[in-house]
Amino acid sequence: MPDYTKALNKNALKGKRIGVPRIVFLNDSITGNDPFINIAFEKALDVIKGLGATVVDPANLPSAEVDL
């Protein structure tokens, strides 16, 4: 079985900007407001920042809104 992790580039996120549409993540009808998911999501953002990306939070884009 191939080891796909060898193909990952640890510098791939350096200098990238990633927007977080908080309005979607704060909508309980979409997310269910599961505390475990919220914690995991925040940790993932920390990892993304740690890998060199700029996280724009919030980035509430109209295209991210789903019947809010």
Side-chain angles (χ1 to χ4, degrees):
M1 179 168 235
D3 183 0
Y4 294 105
T5 61
K6 290 181 181 178
L8 298 176
N9 179 351
K10 67 179 181 179
N11 296 313
L13 293 177
K14 285 188 179 177
K16 304 298 187 282
R17 291 173 54 89
I18 298 175
V20 179
R22 281 281 171 185
I23 197 163
V24 173
F25 293 108
L26 296 176
N27 184 334
D28 292 347
S29 66
I30 295 172
T31 64
N33 196 20
D34 183 332
F36 175 77
I37 297 298
N38 295 337
I39 291 168
F41 182 76
E42 295 299 330
K43 286 181 180 179
L45 289 178
D46 289 339
V47 169
I48 290 169
K49 290 175 190 173
L51 291 171
T54 298
V55 176
V56 180
D57 186 8
N60 294 326
L61 308 170
S63 61
E65 297 178 21
V66 182
D67 297 326
L68 298 178

